[in-house]
Amino acid sequence: MSVIYQRVALIGLGLIAGSMAHAMREQALAGEVTGFARSPETRAVAREIGLCDRICDSAAEAVAGADLVVLAVPVGAMGDVMAEIAPHLAPGATVTDVGSVKQSVIEAVLPHLPQGVHFIPGHPLAGTEHSGPRAGFASLFRNRWWLLTPLPDTDEAALARLDRLVGAMGAKTDRMDPGHHDLVLAVTSHAPHLIAYTMVGVADHLRRVSGEEVIQYSAAGFRDFTRIAASDPTMWRDVFLHNKEATLDILGRFTEELFVLQRAIRMGDGPQLHEYFTRTRAIRRGIIEAGQDTEAPDFGRSPEARPGE
Amino acid sequence: MSVIYQRVALIGLGLIAGSMAHAMREQALAGEVTGFARSPETRAVAREIGLCDRICDSAAEAVAGADLVVLAVPVGAMGDVMAEIAPHLAPGATVTDVGSVKQSVIEAVLPHLPQGVHFIPGHPLAGTEHSGPRAGFASLFRNRWWLLTPLPDTDEAALARLDRLVGAMGAKTDRMDPGHHDLVLAVTSHAPHLIAYTMVGVADHLRRVSGEEVIQYSAAGFRDFTRIAASDPTMWRDVFLHNKEATLDILGRFTEELFVLQRAIRMGDGPQLHEYFTRTRAIRRGIIEAGQDTEAPDFGRSPEARPGE
C-alpha cells in the first residue's frame, strides 16, 4: 500500500481511533499519525504504548498541517471539538468523524466548518465491548462495513480518497443518506443496546435478592446481553440522546411487539409463539449468508463444536 | 473413567441428548447407550451417524433394562413420554430429565412414576443455537453448570450416581429448589430469549421497509440477538408456556425498567443514562470473574484482538 494521506490527526484515542492508528501504521497508509485526547491519562497511555507517531497536548497542535482529521469522540462532543480545531485546519483538509449517529453530528459540525475544508461524515460498524487507548487492534475493521454519509455538495475527489483509506484498512464501504443511516442503526444497534442495558439492569435488581446466582448461571443466554451492555457508557449515553427520535420509535415498536408475545404466553397460545420463533430463525440464516456472523455454534466458544457432521 | 450406568436410554435425540451420547461414549461412562426419537427422520439420521449403540423404534424398547433414562424432549412433552415408558421401566432405575423448566416437569412426570423408580429432575445450562441429532458434541457440558432439583424424598445413592455421571461429562453440578430454579432461569435465560425473539421480530417488520439493510448492517449489536433468537422454536414455545408466571414477572419488571430509560432519553437526562450504563458494566465483570464467559472482545470473533496490550 502507498501513503494515502501525508498526516492524519486522530482526535480522541479510544477503541476506534486506536484501531485506525494500528491499521494505518501497519500498512503505512499515512506519512504521520498524530493524536490528541482530552484526558491526560489517555495521552500518557497512548505515549507509553506508542499508539501514534506523535501525541500532542492540544487538538490545535494535532491537526496543524493534517490533510485528514478524524473526530473520534462521543457524538455529543463533536461540535465543541470542531469549534476548537476549526481555526487550525489546513486549507483543502478533509475532516471525517466516526460517530454512531450522523444527522446530529452534521448539525453540530457544519456551522464551524471553514471554507475550503471538506467534511465527510462516516461510521465504521465495528467495535468490541472494550474501550480506551489500549483497546484498539489493526484488524478491527477487516470485512466490516464503514458507512459514509456524504453531504450533497461533497467533493468527489476528497470522498474517493477517504474511501481508499477505509478500504485499505480492510473495511467495505457504502454510502447512505444520514437520516436513513440513523434509522437503520436504531434497529441494528441502538435499540438492541438499550434493551441489553435494560435486561442487565433488571438482573442487577434481582441479584440483590438471589445472591450471585444470576451471574453464576448466566451462560444460558444472559451473558450475551451483558457483553453488549458492557460498552462505553459515555459513548452510548450520547448515542441515545442524539438519535432520540429513531431510537424511541423503534423502542415503541419493540414494546408493542413484546406485549403481543407476553399476551400469547399469558393466554397459552402455543401456535402463535411457535410461528413467531420460526420466523425469527430465518433472519439468522440471512445474516450468516450475508457474511455478517459465523455459523459456529455459540460464536465458536466451543471449539470442538462441529454442527452438521 | 469407569462405567457408571450399564444402560442409558436417551428419549429425544436433539442437541442435549446427542451431546450426552458423544460424551458418555467418548469416556465409556455407559455400558450401552440406546436412543429413541419420535420422528422417523431423526432416528434415521441418528442411525446414519452412529449416535448411539442402538436406536430403537419405540420408547418402550429403548428404556427396557435401562438403569438410567434421560427425558430429553421439549418440556411440554415430558408427561406424555413418562406415561408411555412407565410400564417398561426397570425396578430401581433412575429417570432424569434435561428440561429448562423444573416445576411443571415435576408436576407432569410424578403422577406416572412407578414405585421403586427414582426421578431426579435436572437441567444442563448448556446449548447452542443449533438443534437436532447432528448438533451434539462431546464437550458441550464441559465447565458448564448442570443443576439438579431433587425432590425431598430422593434416594441419596441414586442422586450421587447421577451426580457422578454429570461430573464425568465435564459439568459442574449444583442443587436447587425447583421453584427457585425456575425464577433464576427466567432471569438468566427465559426473559432474555423472549426479548431477543421480540427484537428480531421488530427488525423483520422493518426489513420489509428498508430492504436487506437490517441484515447487511447487523454486526453492530443486533446479530447477537439473532443468534439467541435462532434457537429451537418448539423447545422455547414450551419453556414460555411452562414457566409462565416467572417469565411474565420478569418481563413485567423489564418493561417498567425500559420505560424508565425511554423516559430518560425523551427528557434528555444524560446523567441518569450514564449512571445506569456504568452499573450494568460491573455485572459483566462479575460474569467474567465467575468464569462464565471469555473476556476476549466480541467473543473472540476477532482473533487478533488483544485488549490491555
Side-chain angles (χ1 to χ4, degrees):
Chain A
M1 289 287 173
S2 55
V3 168
I4 298 173
Y5 290 96
Q6 288 308 318
R7 183 178 297 167
V8 176
L10 303 171
I11 308 301
L13 295 171
L15 170 66
I16 298 292
S19 295
M20 289 183 70
H22 287 298
M24 290 187 295
R25 298 178 77 194
E26 189 179 274
Q27 300 188 65
L29 302 174
E32 186 188 21
V33 177
T34 63
F36 169 75
R38 202 180 46 176
S39 135
E41 291 76 29
T42 301
R43 296 200 297 271
V45 170
R47 282 193 184 105
E48 180 199 324
I49 64 176
L51 190 63
C52 300
D53 298 311
R54 196 153 49 86
I55 299 293
C56 305
D57 283 320
S58 76
E61 189 190 336
V63 305
D67 42 4
L68 178 67
V69 175
V70 181
L71 308 180
V73 298
V75 294
M78 295 282 183
D80 285 351
V81 168
M82 187 64 193
E84 191 184 335
I85 62 172
H88 310 281
L89 292 170
T94 292
V95 174
T96 188
D97 77 299
V98 296
S100 307
V101 180
K102 298 275 54 88
Q103 278 196 131
S104 81
V105 169
I106 292 170
E107 283 161 26
V109 165
L110 271 192
H112 306 291
L113 192 71
Q115 275 288 339
V117 172
H118 310 290
F119 176 51
I120 308 174
H123 179 203
L125 305 191
T128 75
E129 67 274 31
H130 297 285
S131 47
R134 294 184 194 272
F137 51 98
S139 66
L140 178 66
F141 309 112
R142 203 169 293 162
N143 219 12
R144 301 266 71 99
W145 287 101
W146 194 309
L147 302 177
L148 297 174
T149 63
L151 305 171
D153 60 347
T154 296
D155 182 84
E156 276 300 327
L159 183 54
R161 194 172 169 198
L162 181 58
D163 223 280
R164 266 206 297 150
L165 177 73
V166 166
M169 291 189 293
K172 303 175 283 186
T173 55
D174 207 350
R175 298 178 192 186
M176 214 184 251
D177 167 77
H180 189 66
H181 166 279
D182 290 356
L183 180 64
V184 169
L185 268 289
V187 181
T188 58
S189 175
H190 308 169
H193 272 79
L194 195 79
I195 288 163
Y197 278 121
T198 305
M199 187 61 224
V200 174
V202 170
D204 188 35
H205 292 316
L206 284 156
R207 191 166 60 116
R208 288 164 200 184
V209 183
S210 63
E212 291 301 308
E213 285 167 323
V214 167
I215 283 184
Q216 200 74 327
Y217 306 123
S218 64
F222 179 62
R223 64 175 171 178
D224 294 352
F225 281 61
T226 66
R227 188 191 72 82
I228 298 178
S231 304
D232 185 50
T234 306
M235 170 189 155
W236 282 99
R237 175 199 64 196
D238 279 13
V239 167
F240 297 125
L241 295 181
H242 290 268
N243 196 19
K244 184 189 287 198
E245 274 177 50
T247 304
L248 291 177
D249 174 34
I250 301 302
L251 291 175
R253 291 167 191 253
F254 172 83
T255 314
E256 281 169 26
E257 202 84 358
L258 182 62
F259 284 169
V260 169
L261 289 177
Q262 261 181 258
R263 185 172 175 280
I265 293 174
R266 203 179 296 278
M267 311 288 275
D269 190 342
Q272 186 183 359
L273 294 172
H274 192 273
E275 189 273 327
Y276 201 97
F277 302 161
T278 304
R279 194 148 43 81
T280 54
R281 205 174 207 191
I283 299 229
R284 176 72 184 166
R285 275 197 295 276
I287 286 176
I288 290 164
E289 281 158 21
Q292 291 296 296
D293 204 356
T294 166
E295 198 181 11
D298 219 9
F299 305 124
R301 278 188 186 110
S302 310
E304 293 178 45
R306 260 179 231 85
E309 276 183 20
Chain B
M1 288 286 174
S2 56
V3 167
I4 298 172
Y5 291 96
Q6 288 308 319
R7 182 178 296 167
V8 176
L10 303 171
I11 309 300
L13 295 171
L15 170 66
I16 298 293
S19 296
M20 290 183 70
H22 287 298
M24 290 188 294
R25 298 178 77 195
E26 188 178 276
Q27 300 189 64
L29 303 174
E32 186 188 22
V33 177
T34 63
F36 169 76
R38 203 180 45 174
S39 137
E41 291 76 30
T42 302
R43 297 201 296 272
V45 170
R47 283 193 182 106
E48 181 199 324
I49 63 175
L51 190 64
C52 300
D53 298 311
R54 195 152 50 84
I55 299 294
C56 305
D57 284 320
S58 76
E61 190 190 334
V63 305
D67 42 5
L68 178 67
V69 175
V70 181
L71 308 181
V73 297
V75 293
M78 296 281 185
D80 286 350
V81 167
M82 187 62 191
E84 192 186 332
I85 63 171
H88 310 283
L89 292 170
T94 292
V95 175
T96 188
D97 79 298
V98 297
S100 308
V101 180
K102 298 275 54 85
Q103 278 196 129
S104 81
V105 168
I106 292 170
E107 282 160 26
V109 164
L110 270 192
H112 306 290
L113 191 72
Q115 276 288 338
V117 173
H118 310 289
F119 177 51
I120 307 173
H123 179 203
L125 305 192
T128 74
E129 67 274 31
H130 297 285
S131 47
R134 295 184 194 273
F137 52 98
S139 65
L140 177 66
F141 310 112
R142 203 168 295 159
N143 219 11
R144 300 267 71 98
W145 288 100
W146 194 309
L147 303 176
L148 296 174
T149 63
L151 305 170
D153 60 349
T154 296
D155 183 84
E156 276 300 327
L159 183 55
R161 193 171 169 200
L162 182 58
D163 223 278
R164 266 206 297 149
L165 177 72
V166 165
M169 291 189 293
K172 303 176 283 186
T173 55
D174 207 350
R175 298 179 192 185
M176 214 185 248
D177 167 77
H180 189 66
H181 166 278
D182 291 355
L183 180 65
V184 170
L185 268 288
V187 181
T188 58
S189 176
H190 307 169
H193 272 80
L194 195 79
I195 287 162
Y197 278 122
T198 305
M199 188 61 223
V200 174
V202 170
D204 187 35
H205 292 316
L206 284 156
R207 190 167 60 116
R208 289 165 200 182
V209 183
S210 63
E212 292 301 309
E213 285 167 323
V214 167
I215 283 184
Q216 201 73 329
Y217 306 123
S218 64
F222 179 62
R223 64 175 172 180
D224 294 352
F225 281 61
T226 67
R227 189 191 74 81
I228 299 178
S231 304
D232 184 51
T234 306
M235 170 189 155
W236 282 99
R237 175 200 64 198
D238 279 12
V239 166
F240 297 124
L241 295 180
H242 291 267
N243 197 18
K244 184 188 289 199
E245 274 177 51
T247 304
L248 290 177
D249 174 32
I250 301 302
L251 291 175
R253 292 167 192 252
F254 172 82
T255 313
E256 280 169 27
E257 201 85 357
L258 183 61
F259 284 168
V260 170
L261 290 177
Q262 263 181 257
R263 184 172 175 282
I265 293 175
R266 202 179 297 277
M267 311 290 274
D269 189 341
Q272 187 182 0
L273 294 173
H274 193 274
E275 189 274 325
Y276 201 97
F277 302 161
T278 304
R279 194 148 43 79
T280 55
R281 206 174 206 190
I283 298 227
R284 176 73 185 166
R285 276 198 293 277
I287 285 177
I288 290 163
E289 281 159 21
Q292 290 297 294
D293 205 356
T294 165
E295 197 180 11
D298 217 10
F299 305 126
R301 278 189 188 110
S302 309
E304 291 177 45
R306 262 181 229 84
E309 276 184 19

